[in-house]
Amino acid sequence: MSTLQTLDRGLRALDIIAQFPNGISVADLARELDVHRAICYRIVSTLEAHSLIARIEDGRIRLGVGAAVLGSCFEPQLNRDGQSLLHSLANTTRATAFISVAQGQDCVVLMVAEPEDTLIRVGYRTGTRHPLDKGAAGIAILAMRPDAASDSEEIKRARKDGYSLTVGQLEHGAIGIASGIALPENLGSATNLERSVGVVAIDGLDTELAAQAVMTTARELERLISA
């Protein structure tokens, strides 16, 4: 497959910049891209002209408003179709279903759906935030990352099983199951897009059924994102 080198470098630059929410210097970006600094400056100038990146006070660069605009064009599709998948997952498992995203060292709930035929439900609100290394949602995201010496046994187990199962880590008696949502290859390791899908219940959760349903939903969401 032939590629346009300049465009490929620009897209790779965006991927790298996305991994540095506090900004990255042009010199460091040039090293990451393995190009001469002069070439990197031209790439940066082009991306900046389209508002895809922006300079902060100390000269470092980070994603700009143009990148947010492009992302917002996709989010309504994900929100619409993803919500439908979440409702199906909630009803199948009779548990509260959710999609979460990594934001720095935190895991933040993006979307929630509750089962229709249960009297007792876990209140899991959009915007709920907790440490990335606590709870099934965050552990499932960490399990999608490359192996690291600092990985906990929970992360290693989730990577092996394809899902994370935790009990009582965020709420006493709550059982959580989550699976990471793999990014398309062209998005590389953009940490601001790392997501997981899962369910949470206080008791009565059929963990075997729920684990399978969560992993199936994760694969469906991957197809949606890649479409």
Side-chain angles (χ1 to χ4, degrees), residues 75 78-79 83 86 98-103 108-112 125-128 194-196:
E75 285 300 322
L78 179 61
N79 289 344
Q83 195 70 54
L86 273 192
F98 57 84
I99 293 176
S100 297
V101 63
Q103 287 189 0
V108 183
V109 178
L110 280 181
M111 301 166 59
V112 174
R125 300 189 307 276
T126 300
T128 297
E194 292 176 306
R195 293 171 177 169
S196 66

Side-chain angles (χ1 to χ4, degrees), residues 92-209:
T92 297
T93 60
R94 299 172 59 84
T96 299
F98 57 84
I99 293 176
S100 297
V101 63
Q103 287 189 0
Q105 299 303 309
D106 289 341
C107 185
V108 183
V109 178
L110 280 181
M111 301 166 59
V112 174
E114 295 183 341
E116 297 172 355
D117 59 350
T118 57
L119 295 177
I120 300 176
R121 304 168 184 173
V122 175
Y124 207 37
R125 300 189 307 276
T126 300
T128 297
R129 181 183 296 265
H130 58 80
L132 197 58
D133 60 354
K134 297 293 182 183
I139 292 171
I141 289 174
L142 292 173
M144 297 295 288
R145 296 180 181 178
D147 294 1
S150 59
D151 285 344
S152 66
E153 289 302 317
E154 290 175 316
I155 295 172
K156 294 176 183 177
R157 190 180 310 114
R159 189 177 288 129
K160 176 178 177 291
D161 295 341
Y163 67 91
S164 171
L165 190 157
T166 61
V167 179
Q169 288 198 355
L170 300 176
E171 184 75 25
H172 180 70
I175 303 171
I177 295 179
S179 181
I181 302 170
L183 293 171
E185 289 185 5
N186 64 313
L187 290 181
S189 54
T191 55
N192 59 320
L193 295 177
E194 292 176 306
R195 293 171 177 169
S196 66
V197 59
V199 295
V200 60
I202 292 296
D203 55 26
L205 181 66
D206 184 334
T207 56
E208 188 172 328
L209 179 149

